[in-house]
Amino acid sequence: MTAVPYNWGTAVRGKLSANNWRVICTIHIPITLIRLWGGDDAPEDRKDKLQNFMDLVCAVQIANLRSISKKEIELYEHYIHRYMTGFKSLYKLAKVKPIHHAALHYGDILRDFGPAHTHGAAFYERYIHSMQTQNHNMRLGM
């Protein structure tokens, strides 16, 4: 596990890498939310939001395994469906984004192509980063 930049979330820090976000969202935020919202005295809506976030964390952890079984793919689908159902119920004004829709189909990708590391690589992260650092001014290919 890589260390998270001490100043994440500030304008000075700038963009975080996908790995930084993964570590923050699967380790640091869950620990904090469990401490804040996981107690017996926490309001029910906070407990529901914590459970919803933990469903997302479980799905992300499964999706990032180095090897995967049919049972784990079924677990991924269980958690991501429960997350989306809870998301739509808890955050009524939030819009479902294309990434949410794509996540619902990721079980099929895992079945067809295997774990993420076999079809996602550091190369793509570097390529995306290099594209983000260039000023295209909405004129790709010109």
Side-chain angles (χ1 to χ4, degrees), residues 55-122:
D55 287 340
L56 177 60
V57 169
C58 288
V60 168
Q61 290 289 66
I62 293 168
N64 282 291
L65 292 174
R66 303 273 305 156
S67 64
I68 198 155
S69 68
K70 289 180 183 179
K71 179 66 177 161
E72 289 162 333
I73 294 170
E74 290 170 9
L75 274 173
Y76 168 83
E77 291 172 328
H78 165 77
Y79 284 121
I80 201 67
H81 282 101
R82 195 164 76 176
Y83 165 73
M84 284 306 303
T85 301
F87 176 82
K88 292 190 312 187
S89 171
L90 291 167
Y91 308 100
K92 295 184 183 345
L93 298 178
K95 296 191 186 294
V96 174
K97 305 282 186 178
I99 192 69
H100 294 123
H101 180 84
L104 292 171
H105 292 285
Y106 197 65
D108 295 330
I109 302 226
L110 289 170
R111 272 187 204 87
D112 292 344
F113 299 106
H117 75 91
T118 63
H119 53 87

Side-chain angles (χ1 to χ4, degrees), residues 4-56:
V4 176
Y6 73 92
N7 60 348
W8 70 274
T10 64
V12 174
R13 170 62 182 98
K15 292 184 178 184
L16 296 173
S17 70
N19 189 55
N20 288 145
W21 278 117
R22 185 182 58 79
V23 171
I24 290 167
C25 293
T26 61
I27 296 168
H28 297 284
I29 292 176
I31 290 169
T32 302
L33 289 181
I34 289 168
R35 293 173 82 177
L36 293 174
W37 297 352
D40 292 335
D41 58 339
E44 279 305 309
D45 70 317
R46 298 286 168 90
K47 290 180 183 179
D48 293 342
K49 289 177 180 179
L50 173 61
Q51 181 59 57
N52 182 250
F53 187 74
M54 294 309 293
D55 287 340
L56 177 60

